[in-house]
Amino acid sequence: MTIMRTSARVAALAAWVAMAPAARAQGYPFSQRSTLEQMVAFTKITIEYGRPVARGRTLFADSGLVPYGKVWHPGADSATRITFSHDVTLEDRPVPAGEYTVWLVPRGNGAKWTFILSKAAHVFHTPYPGEQHDFLRVDVAPERTSHMETLAFYFPVVLRDAATMNIHWGEWALPIHIKAGWRPPDDQ
């Protein structure tokens, strides 16, 4: 009886060991999560997002993964969240400190894309929460650049009180200009 139990345990352990790598691999998300923090003057900008991978797909096109003219969430899973610790101006428009989600409307033929900040800060990447939650909509010219396989938010320019935030995937980057709006009191 003891030999049979031991044999059964050994067989179960061998099966578990054989299946463990496959089970772990299946559990890995296709899009990894990322958090980026950037100080601009005394303002902390935090971006939390999922990073989808192009994997040879056509990204931006009328019939692409991201169709032209439709609201798109730049990220995966939970909607991309951006937080400003103090008031800022974004593309020369005032934005109060707080937490927002980021949405885009890409367009073809060299047309400007629409950058959207939504007050719906804790939502999934689909469906778009709707214009009633929009805080800001601004049109920005995209830039054709080198291929970025995995979606990335980054700051290629950071000055004393201003920065450029790029949203870059495939061969397109959208530069968003941010200026810190908070100033320390004069008596400090």
Side-chain angles (χ1 to χ4, degrees):
M1 186 80 100
T2 306
I3 293 174
M4 288 178 57
R5 282 188 196 158
T6 303
S7 296
R9 287 182 184 156
V10 168
L13 180 61
W16 178 81
V17 168
M19 293 178 5
R24 281 193 307 267
Q26 289 176 356
Y28 297 148
F30 286 107
S31 302
Q32 300 297 314
R33 299 295 300 167
S34 184
T35 300
L36 169 66
E37 289 185 355
Q38 178 64 58
M39 293 298 294
V40 179
F42 297 106
T43 301
K44 183 193 295 187
I45 301 169
T46 306
I47 303 162
E48 299 172 73
Y49 67 111
R51 300 191 66 200
V53 180
R55 294 191 304 269
R57 299 177 288 183
T58 299
L59 300 178
F60 302 102
D62 287 327
S63 60
L65 181 65
V66 182
Y68 289 138
K70 300 206 182 211
V71 176
W72 169 63
H73 155 256
D77 306 321
S78 296
T80 295
R81 206 165 40 245
I82 188 167
T83 305
F84 303 102
S85 65
H86 298 288
D87 297 351
V88 298
T89 57
L90 194 147
E91 293 295 323
D92 295 321
R93 305 269 301 275
V95 175
E99 194 173 42
Y100 305 88
T101 51
V102 176
W103 305 83
L104 299 176
V105 179
R107 295 187 178 84
N109 299 322
K112 290 183 175 183
W113 293 14
T114 302
F115 175 87
I116 303 166
L117 281 184
S118 173
K119 295 177 283 186
H122 294 274
V123 295
F124 201 61
H125 75 278
T126 181
Y128 166 58
E131 289 185 33
Q132 70 273 20
H133 296 287
D134 289 358
F135 175 78
L136 171 78
R137 276 182 175 245
V138 61
D139 291 333
V140 178
E143 297 174 350
R144 187 169 217 123
T145 186
S146 60
H147 180 77
M148 178 72 72
E149 181 68 10
T150 303
L151 175 76
F153 282 73
Y154 59 93
F155 289 84
V157 177
V158 180
L159 305 173
R160 290 186 63 183
D161 66 346
T164 301
M165 175 183 74
N166 274 2
I167 304 169
H168 187 171
W169 199 26
E171 295 178 352
W172 293 102
L174 193 68
I176 307 297
H177 300 96
I178 302 169
K179 189 160 179 56
W182 183 82
R183 301 281 188 265
D186 289 333
D187 60 350
Q188 291 187 356

